[in-house]
Amino acid sequence: MGRFLARRALQGLAVVLGVVTVVFLLRYVTPGSPVDFIAPLDASQATRRRIAENLGLNRPLYVQYVDYVADLLTGDMGYSYRSRTPVRPRVLAKVPATLELALAATFVAVVLSIPLGVVSATHRHGPADYGATLFSLVGISTPNFWLGVMLVIVFAVQFDVFPTSTRPVGLLDALGNLVVIAGPQQGYAAPLDVSGFLADLRSWLLYITLPAITLGTYFTALITRLTRSGMLDQLGQGYVRAARAKGLPETLVRYRHALRNTLIPVITVVGLQMGTLVGGAVITEAVFDWPGLGTLVIDAIGNRDWPLIQGCLVVIGIGFVVVNIVVDALYATLDPQVMD
Amino acid sequence: MARDIDRRNFLKLAGTAAGAAAVAGCSGGEETPTEGDGGDGGDGGGGGGDGGDGGDTGTETGTPLPEPETRVGYLERANRLLHEEAPWIFLNRQYSVYGKSTDVDWEARRDERIDGYAIEPTGDTDTVQITQSAMDSGLDPHDHRETPTDNIVLQAYEGLLSRDREGKVIQELATGYERLEAGRVRFELRSGVSFHSGDSLTKEDVAFSINRIVDPEVGGLDSPQSDQLAGVTGAEPADGDSAVIVESEGINPIVFALFATYCDVMNKSWVESNDEAYINTHMNGTGPFQLADYEQDVSVTFEAYGDYWKDGAPADELVITAASEASTRVNQLVSGETDVIVNVPPQNISQVDQADNAEISAVPSTRIIYNAMIYDREPFDSVEFRRAMNYAVDLESIVESVLSGFGDGTGQPTLEGFTGYNSELDPYPHDPEEAERLVEESGYAGAEIELHTPNGRYLKDLEIAQAVVGYIDDLENVSASVNQRDFGNLTDVLLDGDITTGPAFYLIGWGNATFDASQTIIPLLTSDGALTSYKNERVDELINEAQSMGGGETGTDS
């Protein structure tokens, strides 16, 4: 297991380097000089040249690349062109919001889809099956953008159950209320703020519900179908018939044996999709004004703020790689054959 | 080649005829001197354009008109000439369309700025929240030049002069201003003004702020506003009393208009004792609000400044956030989560109107949207062809159907209310027959043209371009299509200083917050303009004349 993971981690590093390289080169094949977005439209050529020089854009490409990678290794992601502030803290500040959204959406999806898929498979061609299939079809065909806007109009504007957008408090902020800071300065008695935690958690849940449902729906539909077909496949296998023939109770056959095997490919897809969610929640983040990486990268692209774009993409890339390694580890635990 | 020569000869004649017609059609007219090359052809490409220019001047039979006597007269005449020469398809002025909650009292301003001091909460709370489409690019008031950041820094920083809601210049930190002589103006400073740090405002602070913008050596900043204070070379504290002398190269007729738009005053010692990152994340101005909390990319929170030199702001707290998605902003407004939102697109206007807790507040902005036609490229080198394009387009119906009425058609590069606007000029009427006739006359019947447009940079830019192209394509003798371009890609080729690399026909917008014709015509329509599409010696001459005359502005508190 250790060697398997080490190999995966090395591969992951190579992927990250690849991402860094592609992201670095992207700026040179993308039309539109960053200077156009920094300088006013009527700036003189002299001003424009000066800006380019200040940004170091006149140095040879390979020098810029080597510098960039060397800086990255020390954790330095450069300075934003637009605001001239360091990129790293800005990007890292957005990670919790995006992770929370990806996790919440995955949670919504898993909680809904696995039971739906199982019910659908075990009641094949029954009304439950047709219902679940219809749900998947609608879910897959509904664009996130539209769904998000509709949920807001109905549940936030019309019925005023949820707020429309943003995220005033994060999950970590909420959990922060529970951390007891012990030390001489605190007199060993920093109170455990349970009511503060509950209030923050409630607010967080209110704000994250609609975005999580929006982002989770497509995902739910996908996993429902996958679970259904996987389950049907497993139920038709010899070992299931053997288990039944031995007289095992049907629930045990279904949920202990068939479902466990069904979940192997499902976990892979959930993992891969989570990676996609980390980077691909852009539209949902925009609709809900969610202060995550998606919103940041979209603004950065709009301004051709390359250091910021690169910072976001590198972090998203690393996130993707980490999720994949975790998925591989889980996969290996469930099905040791993959380590071979 | 034979066709070219014929066309040139023809244009020479046509140019003269058009000029006569133009003069006949206008009371101001153009004077006779045969400047320009009046249709002597030139090379194949430029010939048409030059022939067209002849139209302005080749009125051998006309009575010479006296030169204008005022700067405004020159600018108005330049606008007339540009209207007749049609270097653009003149499209529309944009409106700034805001949504506001019924819990606040506020009217939109014409310069696209949202002044928190002018927002009065009438509901239960004393907090006002504004939602823009983007956050700031840093809080240093000299280190940016774009509306979202302006809207944030102006809450805490102030300039010497400012503008009222209609765009008229008013005093702010200066109580009087006068032109001493060509190139020297004097500002009297207000007394009793303090920075949020507690320091009093001094003439050294003001001089330093001006120098920090115009001189990269002062304050270590390459200010993007240096081009905006063009002509200003420096400032120094005046002897004795509380005043500052500002020096310019030449007469700088619009110096006061410039100071009314840019140049916030900063505290010299505060700037000198802090680094760039600090100045970009903290604020120390003289304005009605002081910074309470700054969360980069997320929100800026201000609280009313107790020692403000005017009455305190009506709101105790002002929060500015951003949502890039228009429907998100609208939903925030109608669900009561924010008080003022920017850029309500036409398709969302009814949603705001129908909500009982919100309404629309719209105002004509300082931005013009136009289709440039490069003066020396076929078929746009023919003034008849360019005029034909203007006749072909039904501007009124574009404003009505694409912009839901939130726009005004234009017929000159200068907007109504600006210095130099020529009130005698109307937009070209929609006259497809005249357009077809002029196309025939231009010799370019059968031309195929392509309009390059950004998508999403300006309100309904692509839809406007599609409508324009639709009208042109409806002409019997021209076919037209749209080419969608990435904005960065398009500006790259427009701004490279080489007029030949860009497309011959493109849609773009131009904001001019100085309310002066020169700041649109110089960059866009004079020979050396940064973004020019047109060269015409007569226009250059009129503008040079205008820029060599003072506006004669003075102002005091009384």
Side-chain angles (χ1 to χ4, degrees):
Chain A
M1 189 73 178
R3 276 192 55 197
F4 169 76
L5 283 181
R7 206 169 64 229
R8 279 282 183 274
L10 274 180
Q11 286 168 349
L13 270 182
V15 171
V16 170
L17 185 67
V19 167
V20 169
T21 309
V22 169
V23 161
F24 179 81
L25 289 175
L26 261 185
R27 68 190 292 179
Y28 293 95
V29 295
T30 309
S33 157
V35 177
D36 293 341
F37 292 82
I38 295 167
L41 277 185
D42 60 346
S44 61
Q45 290 297 323
T47 307
R48 302 165 64 76
R49 264 197 305 277
R50 216 165 50 230
I51 292 174
E53 269 169 40
N54 288 346
L55 299 181
L57 296 176
N58 49 351
R59 295 176 305 154
L61 192 61
Y62 68 91
V63 174
Q64 294 188 43
Y65 176 70
V66 170
D67 279 359
Y68 183 67
V69 174
D71 285 347
L72 264 188
L73 287 177
T74 65
D76 181 358
M77 293 180 164
Y79 282 74
S80 153
Y81 285 166
R82 188 161 175 265
S83 68
R84 294 160 180 76
T85 48
V87 164
R88 195 180 61 168
R90 276 178 82 178
V91 172
L92 294 185
K94 302 291 178 182
V95 170
T98 294
L99 272 184
E100 281 169 18
L101 185 55
L103 282 171
T106 309
F107 177 77
V108 167
V110 169
V111 164
L112 281 177
S113 63
I114 293 179
L116 268 176
V118 171
V119 168
S120 180
T122 48
H123 298 78
R124 203 176 171 188
H125 299 314
D129 185 21
Y130 290 129
T133 312
L134 185 70
F135 177 79
S136 320
L137 190 68
V138 172
I140 283 181
S141 351
T142 309
N144 273 357
F145 181 78
W146 184 85
L147 179 65
V149 171
M150 284 304 127
L151 287 176
V152 168
I153 288 177
V154 174
F155 293 103
V157 176
Q158 205 63 39
F159 295 113
D160 202 13
V161 190
F162 296 104
T164 63
S165 50
T166 71
R167 166 185 171 274
V169 60
L171 186 58
L172 287 179
D173 304 325
L175 289 173
N177 291 311
L178 296 182
V179 178
V180 181
I181 305 161
Q185 278 90 7
Q186 283 79 24
Y188 300 98
L192 197 74
D193 187 359
V194 177
S195 63
F197 165 72
L198 290 177
D200 281 355
L201 185 69
R202 184 171 169 275
S203 158
W204 179 76
L205 283 172
L206 276 177
Y207 278 92
I208 206 169
T209 304
L210 295 185
I213 292 175
T214 305
L215 194 57
T217 301
Y218 174 83
F219 200 13
T220 306
L222 195 73
I223 308 176
T224 305
R225 294 181 73 113
L226 196 72
T227 312
R228 177 179 181 272
S229 61
M231 193 76 178
L232 283 177
D233 196 32
Q234 294 298 329
L235 288 176
Q237 297 278 325
Y239 76 91
V240 170
R241 262 177 282 141
R244 280 183 183 142
K246 280 201 298 185
L248 278 182
E250 185 61 18
T251 27
L252 209 59
V253 174
R254 280 180 190 170
Y255 300 109
R256 179 71 191 265
H257 295 283
L259 184 58
R260 185 187 160 112
N261 286 327
T262 305
L263 287 184
I264 293 174
V266 170
I267 284 172
T268 318
V269 172
V270 169
L272 287 177
Q273 284 291 320
M274 243 196 86
T276 325
L277 289 183
V278 168
V282 174
I283 292 173
T284 308
E285 285 193 9
V287 170
F288 292 96
D289 193 17
W290 194 254
L293 284 171
T295 315
L296 188 65
V297 80
I298 283 291
D299 287 348
I301 289 171
N303 295 311
R304 292 294 191 282
D305 196 338
W306 277 103
L308 198 51
I309 299 175
Q310 288 168 338
C312 291
L313 294 184
V314 167
V315 167
I316 289 170
I318 292 173
F320 206 98
V321 166
V322 168
V323 168
N324 269 289
I325 292 175
V326 172
V327 170
D328 282 347
L330 267 178
Y331 205 118
T333 319
L334 285 173
D335 183 4
Q337 289 175 44
V338 297
M339 278 189 282
D340 300 337
Chain B
M1 273 290 108
R3 180 185 163 276
D4 267 317
I5 293 161
D6 284 352
R7 185 174 56 78
R8 233 181 281 151
N9 286 336
F10 176 65
L11 282 172
K12 214 189 281 184
L13 297 169
T16 312
V23 170
C26 63
S27 54
E30 294 302 328
E31 71 275 60
T32 305
T34 51
E35 77 274 69
D37 18 20
D40 66 358
D43 60 1
D50 293 336
D53 297 348
D56 160 43
T57 55
T59 54
E60 285 104 46
T61 53
T63 318
L65 283 166
E67 287 281 310
E69 285 173 3
T70 60
R71 176 167 185 272
V72 169
Y74 277 104
L75 293 174
E76 285 178 355
R77 196 167 288 187
N79 273 314
R80 173 179 298 283
L81 184 56
L82 289 165
H83 169 85
E84 283 154 7
E85 293 284 308
W88 296 349
I89 296 178
F90 294 101
L91 291 175
N92 63 288
R93 119 181 275 169
Q94 281 195 322
Y95 270 51
S96 302
V97 182
Y98 303 90
K100 69 166 181 182
S101 133
T102 48
D103 286 343
V104 295
D105 233 359
W106 173 74
E107 289 296 324
R109 287 163 60 105
R110 288 185 51 174
D111 57 5
E112 302 184 18
R113 294 183 175 185
I114 304 175
D115 180 2
Y117 188 72
I119 305 178
E120 196 176 332
T122 56
D124 303 334
T125 81
D126 287 328
T127 295
V128 167
Q129 180 157 350
I130 299 170
T131 306
Q132 307 198 95
S133 51
M135 288 307 287
D136 58 280
S137 61
L139 298 180
D140 185 339
H142 296 163
D143 198 11
H144 71 90
R145 211 187 117 189
E146 17 101 43
T147 311
T149 311
D150 281 345
N151 273 337
I152 287 172
V153 300
L154 80 87
Q155 316 298 345
Y157 286 101
E158 295 175 303
L160 289 167
L161 304 176
S162 178
R163 291 179 189 280
D164 64 9
R165 220 166 54 72
E166 294 301 315
K168 213 175 101 245
V169 175
I170 54 173
Q171 287 100 38
E172 204 155 76
L173 296 182
T175 55
Y177 52 97
E178 59 177 334
R179 191 181 291 283
L180 300 173
E181 60 200 327
R184 273 166 73 83
V185 295
R186 176 187 170 98
F187 291 96
E188 292 296 331
L189 303 185
R190 189 177 295 283
S191 58
V193 175
S194 64
F195 287 100
H196 300 154
S197 62
D199 292 1
S200 294
L201 171 76
T202 65
K203 53 189 179 180
E204 283 79 17
D205 291 322
V206 175
F208 169 78
S209 299
I210 296 168
N211 290 328
R212 186 168 184 252
I213 292 176
V214 300
D215 184 355
E217 300 299 312
V218 178
L221 173 76
D222 242 324
S223 174
Q225 292 168 14
S226 62
D227 291 295
Q228 190 71 17
L229 287 189
V232 175
T233 51
E236 56 186 54
D239 290 340
D241 23 5
S242 181
V244 169
I245 306 280
V246 174
E247 311 260 358
S248 299
E249 231 164 47
I251 190 160
N252 201 350
I254 58 163
V255 63
F256 299 118
L258 297 179
F259 276 101
T261 306
Y262 279 106
C263 190
D264 287 320
V265 173
M266 299 181 80
N267 183 343
K268 183 178 180 203
S269 60
W270 185 77
V271 173
E272 286 177 342
S273 55
N274 289 303
D275 64 11
E276 195 177 83
Y278 187 87
I279 295 170
N280 267 309
T281 47
H282 295 78
M283 297 175 110
N284 180 23
T286 59
F289 289 99
Q290 57 184 343
L291 187 66
D293 185 48
Y294 178 60
E295 206 180 331
Q296 193 171 22
D297 305 313
V298 180
S299 69
V300 185
T301 307
F302 295 97
E303 61 196 16
Y305 175 48
D307 282 333
Y308 189 48
W309 56 271
K310 269 195 275 192
D311 292 337
D316 289 342
E317 191 183 51
L318 178 69
V319 182
I320 302 182
T321 57
S324 56
E325 197 53 52
S327 63
T328 305
R329 293 193 298 274
V330 170
N331 285 327
Q332 285 184 359
L333 178 72
V334 299
S335 67
E337 291 167 22
T338 190
D339 298 305
V340 175
I341 61 169
V342 304
N343 300 343
V344 180
Q347 67 271 20
N348 289 106
I349 282 170
S350 64
Q351 196 191 343
V352 175
D353 270 339
Q354 283 162 13
D356 47 12
N357 61 348
E359 57 197 56
I360 291 288
S361 179
V363 69
S365 80
T366 62
R367 192 178 301 279
I368 186 171
I369 301 292
Y370 65 94
N371 290 148
M373 299 179 275
I374 301 279
Y375 78 108
D376 61 356
R377 300 262 205 99
E378 291 187 354
F380 305 111
D381 55 354
S382 153
V383 69
E384 287 74 23
F385 191 85
R386 299 196 301 254
R387 289 171 64 85
M389 295 302 99
N390 275 282
Y391 279 117
V393 174
D394 186 349
L395 210 48
E396 264 177 52
S397 102
I398 291 180
V399 167
E400 274 318 306
S401 56
V402 180
L403 297 171
S404 304
F406 290 107
D408 293 322
T410 66
Q412 57 188 311
T414 302
L415 297 170
E416 196 177 350
F418 281 38
T419 304
Y421 175 75
N422 191 328
S423 56
E424 291 170 11
L425 303 173
D426 289 324
Y428 280 75
H430 178 49
D431 189 344
E433 281 167 24
E434 175 67 3
E436 282 168 9
R437 192 189 66 74
L438 282 168
V439 168
E440 292 299 327
E441 206 176 297
S442 73
Y444 283 120
E448 289 173 19
I449 57 177
E450 191 179 50
L451 175 60
H452 294 243
T453 179
N455 182 3
R457 179 73 182 192
Y458 310 108
L459 185 66
K460 297 275 163 191
D461 44 13
L462 177 62
E463 289 83 350
I464 293 173
Q466 283 166 337
V468 165
V469 156
Y471 284 116
I472 295 174
D473 204 44
D474 282 347
L475 298 180
E476 298 281 337
N477 45 13
V478 184
S479 62
S481 59
V482 163
N483 183 345
Q484 287 186 53
R485 295 282 292 266
D486 172 73
F487 181 72
N489 180 325
L490 182 61
T491 50
D492 238 11
V493 292
L494 297 180
L495 291 167
D496 60 4
D498 182 355
I499 194 171
T500 60
T501 52
F505 186 31
Y506 55 89
L507 180 146
I508 203 153
W510 184 257
N512 171 358
T514 63
F515 290 79
D516 191 280
S518 65
Q519 297 305 293
T520 304
I521 296 176
I522 292 174
L524 302 181
L525 291 159
T526 59
S527 300
D528 299 324
L531 199 63
T532 194
S533 55
Y534 190 56
K535 288 193 195 338
N536 179 326
E537 286 180 22
R538 182 60 187 146
V539 173
D540 290 355
E541 213 174 277
L542 288 167
I543 292 296
N544 281 339
E545 286 294 334
Q547 294 307 83
S548 66
M549 303 171 90
E553 317 92 320
T554 54
T556 59
D557 248 354
S558 56

